[in-house]
Amino acid sequence: MALSAFPQKRMESCTELTEGMCNAAYLVKFSDGSKSVLKIAPGENKGLLSNEVNMMDAEVKAMDIVGKSGLIRVAEVQYYDTSKTICSSDYFFMEAIEGQSFFTAKESMSEEEKRRLNYEIGRTERKLTAIQGEKFGLLGDEKHRYTYLFDFVYRLISNVLSDAIKKKIVIGVESEDILARLEQDRYVFDAVSKPTLVHWDMWEGNVFVKDGQISGIIDWERAMWAEAFLDDRFRRHARNREFLKGYGQENFSKEEMRRICWYDVLLYLTMMTEGAYRGYPDDGQYQWTKPLFEDSWKELQI
């Protein structure tokens, strides 16, 4: 793979990167001192949920869009192979971003440093809203585009509920009841008419930092055209004051909070379900997520 991508270079080492749970990833070092990251898609969609569509293509496309915008720092894709001649899965090489994930780095940070970085993540999230699309939908799913945000959200939640049923995941609420309640709340989505680019998974592990500054955002495979509030940083377990200050919005209307709550439901249902598809060694993620889902669902009953 390295020879095909970089015929003028000689590979010296290849080290697996183990923080992710979907793609295989490796740090590749070359004799000239340069480094690249190799990402390989799961074979035959193994372990993927229904909302995880053409994820590698989505990631490459998202990084191209963001890179050309010049708004925030992302890695440059150096080589992308979908031919399946060398490898049975799609793969790409990208520039290796300097630094380490915020998740790892924060262990040695002061509270002030963490507050400053959360503020910067909020500013980054706000910058993304300047990248607008025409219709709502997953970046990797060109076949399904929606004029109305509600229709897109309904599809996402329907898909994950269907995935949960297939694996007999105990949700504690009937799928029909969740979808019926969502239908009743259709009106709260009407205020959002223009989609923006959403990372969706900007948790601390996907934010790289160096010298106390954000050096880049990684893992764009779940990117979508949607509302900014769908991103992970707005979830009830992750929202914090510094992030909201950086984003430029610390208070939300009743309708906005209702949408945010539905986005909570979507993420927590996904996290409760994905372990059964990924083959996680235990149900720790399910056990951690289920109370969060229950709190979100309870709030939607009001």
Side-chain angles (χ1 to χ4, degrees):
M1 291 182 193
L3 184 62
S4 178
F6 308 101
Q8 76 282 12
K9 295 186 179 185
R10 182 170 64 85
M11 187 177 79
E12 283 199 338
S13 66
C14 181
T15 306
E16 185 176 8
L17 303 173
T18 58
E19 282 193 7
M21 295 297 291
C22 187
N23 300 296
Y26 301 87
L27 177 64
V28 179
K29 296 182 179 180
F30 298 95
S31 58
D32 64 358
S34 61
K35 298 181 290 184
S36 294
V37 171
L38 165 65
K39 292 190 76 170
I40 307 172
E44 299 179 353
N45 293 325
K46 184 179 180 181
L48 298 181
L49 301 175
S50 298
N51 290 327
E52 296 174 329
V53 182
N54 296 326
M55 293 172 71
M56 184 149 285
D57 190 59
E59 181 165 20
V60 170
K61 191 177 297 182
M63 287 192 290
D64 180 62
I65 293 171
V66 177
K68 287 178 178 175
S69 77
L71 293 171
I72 65 174
R73 180 78 170 88
V74 292
E76 177 189 353
V77 176
Q78 300 163 319
Y79 186 83
Y80 182 31
D81 186 357
T82 61
S83 68
K84 298 182 175 61
T85 53
I86 297 177
C87 177
S88 60
S89 294
D90 296 344
Y91 68 91
F92 68 82
F93 284 88
M94 67 179 180
E95 170 191 9
I97 293 178
E98 295 295 326
Q100 60 184 155
S101 75
F102 183 21
F103 180 75
T104 301
K106 70 177 185 178
E107 295 180 7
S108 58
M109 287 182 175
S110 68
E111 290 302 314
E112 177 56 33
E113 287 174 319
K114 285 185 278 189
R115 282 194 292 268
R116 187 173 67 250
L117 276 167
N118 276 311
Y119 179 86
E120 288 302 318
I121 294 172
R123 290 189 64 194
T124 297
E125 196 82 66
R126 172 62 76 175
K127 288 177 183 178
L128 277 180
T129 64
I131 304 176
Q132 298 187 338
E134 293 302 316
K135 291 193 173 184
F136 299 95
L138 297 168
L139 218 63
D141 189 3
E142 295 283 356
K143 293 181 180 179
H144 299 96
R145 287 288 183 266
Y146 302 89
T147 302
Y148 302 106
L149 175 60
F150 171 82
D151 295 331
F152 178 43
V153 173
Y154 190 93
R155 179 180 177 86
L156 292 175
I157 293 179
S158 296
N159 279 348
V160 74
L161 287 171
S162 177
D163 290 339
I165 289 170
K166 289 174 185 175
K167 291 291 186 179
K168 297 181 172 59
I169 305 298
V170 178
I171 295 172
V173 183
E174 293 296 329
S175 297
E176 293 81 2
D177 293 340
I178 294 174
L179 293 176
R181 171 64 68 174
L182 178 57
E183 186 71 53
Q184 291 175 12
D185 280 351
R186 174 188 288 265
Y187 72 97
V188 304
F189 296 90
D190 291 343
V192 184
S193 59
K194 193 73 173 177
T196 63
L197 187 65
V198 180
H199 185 286
W200 199 73
D201 194 22
M202 206 182 293
W203 76 290
E204 294 168 347
N206 288 335
V207 178
F208 263 52
V209 298
K210 182 183 180 182
D211 300 329
Q213 303 291 325
I214 295 176
S215 56
I217 307 296
I218 65 168
D219 288 359
W220 292 82
E221 62 261 32
R222 292 174 179 81
M224 58 179 68
W225 295 111
E227 179 182 19
F229 298 160
L230 264 153
D231 195 80
D232 177 88
R233 294 297 83 195
F234 289 97
R235 303 289 64 79
R236 65 173 59 238
H237 72 277
R239 242 175 6 249
N240 62 71
R241 189 174 180 181
E242 287 73 26
F243 166 79
L244 295 178
K245 281 184 178 179
Y247 183 75
Q249 183 173 351
E250 297 182 66
N251 298 297
F252 302 92
S253 69
K254 182 179 178 181
E255 288 75 18
E256 286 174 331
M257 280 306 305
R258 197 128 186 113
R259 292 199 303 274
I260 286 171
C261 205
W262 276 114
Y263 303 152
D264 285 351
V265 165
L266 171 61
L267 177 66
Y268 299 141
L269 285 174
T270 300
M271 294 179 71
M272 288 165 64
T273 303
E274 69 180 4
Y277 286 82
R278 302 276 199 270
Y280 290 170
D282 57 52
D283 68 345
Q285 178 169 292
Y286 171 89
Q287 295 295 342
W288 179 81
T289 308
K290 193 167 188 293
L292 292 167
F293 164 75
E294 290 170 346
D295 289 343
S296 300
W297 179 244
K298 188 182 301 181
E299 189 172 328
L300 286 167
Q301 306 314 299
I302 300 173

